[in-house]
Amino acid sequence: MVLAALTVVSAQAADYQLGAMDKVRIRVAEWRTAEGAVRDWSTISGDYTVGPSGNISLPFVGEMAATGKTTSEIGEAISETLQQKFGLLDRPDASVELAEFRPVFISGDVQTPGRYPYAPDLTVLKAVSLAGGVRRAADAGLRIERDFINARGNYEVLIAERNGLMAKRARLIAEAGGVEQIDFPKELQETASGKKMIADETAFKEAREKRLSVQLSALDDLKGLLESEVASLEKKIASQTRQIELSRKELKGIGDLADKGLAVNSRVLSIERSTADLETKVLDMETSVLRAKQDISKATQDATNLQNEWNAGIAQERQQSESAIEQLNLKISMYRDLMAEALARDPMAAGAGADASPVISFSIVREAKGKTTEMPAEENTPVLPGDVIKVGIAAMPGN
């Protein structure tokens, strides 16, 4: 029995539950009460796609379950995790909004099978319209071969795109683990295009690591120069301090003689000025030491920030690559099925005559709670994100 109505997802529904391939936009900011300023967590903020496992992966937060949760629940979980992990006085504010519904897939006897973005209030009829409408019966014989060629072309393009992402993912894994040798998938090593991808990613990894090494080395060199400057100044301070002590001893001796009338006051004044000059130089050198130590601390912090940004960038790129690979796998599987369907179809439409009237059937393949079911549908049946709409045409002799 055809279902008369299904739950319709509203774009504004606050209780919409996320699923695989939904894309969310996350923005994280923290109000620092002590400083009276807002800190933007730009490392975490961005767009994330829910993976096939039902999780999203965020820097510092890690893997977080998303399937079956609302955007507000995800935001609360992110805020709580960040506060607990970093021991923050004020809880960061995580804003999570649905950036893009997971797509729907339309296959079968339509003009343009494929993946299409989901829109609220989408029905089977609207979805078929997005795919160019039902395939015209008169074109059935000619379009079988065309469908196969188109599906195979799309399939090969997607395979090439996926191979590129797999090569990139292998490079990111090696960078994250600090491994010199990249462990590329075996299938990439067996084709000319795959070998080129391997060479490109290897060269890119070497260039990125060289750039990071140069930046860190420059900071280390700066720290070394500053530390040498501090050591030199401390030696000079020690020498000047000894001279001050000698000058004070001399001043005391001359002062005693001056009190007895055995030394002129100009000699006393000269020694006092010399002592004061020495003490001023020591103060200047101590100030220079403090400034150099501050610069050393800044260089150390800059090196730490540079390494942290590098690691966070790798984590984010890897998450995006993983998500893109999973989406491509779904597309590849769909086009593989379309090719098999085209090859299996009868080019003569089961021998129907010129007066044959086509019978159009619809069905929806839906996954719920880890179980996939196929249900018959009608033109006005609501479609949910992630549904696969199958359209079939069967010829029936006219009356």
Side-chain angles (χ1 to χ4, degrees), residues 163-172 174 180-189 194-203 205:
N163 287 345
L165 286 171
M166 290 173 64
K168 179 181 179 180
R169 179 180 63 182
R171 186 254 302 168
L172 291 170
E180 182 177 353
Q181 190 70 25
I182 304 175
D183 184 17
F184 289 103
K186 184 178 179 181
E187 56 265 33
L188 297 181
Q189 305 173 25
K195 291 178 180 178
K196 184 179 183 304
M197 293 176 186
I198 290 175
D200 291 343
E201 290 296 336
T202 301
K205 175 178 179 293

Side-chain angles (χ1 to χ4, degrees), residues 20 31 64 77 94 100 143 178 184 201 211 225 228 235 240 250 278 295-296 300 344 356:
W31 170 255
M64 174 176 291
E100 182 179 323
R143 287 189 61 85
F184 289 103
E201 290 296 336
R211 183 170 67 249
L225 290 173
S228 298
K235 290 180 180 179
Q240 295 282 17
E250 182 181 2
L278 290 172
D295 291 340
I296 291 173
T300 301

Side-chain angles (χ1 to χ4, degrees), residues 286-307:
E286 289 176 343
T287 302
S288 298
V289 168
L290 290 175
R291 187 180 298 111
K293 289 182 177 180
Q294 289 176 347
D295 291 340
I296 291 173
S297 298
K298 184 178 182 302
T300 301
Q301 185 61 46
D302 288 344
T304 301
N305 292 340
L306 183 62
Q307 189 66 60

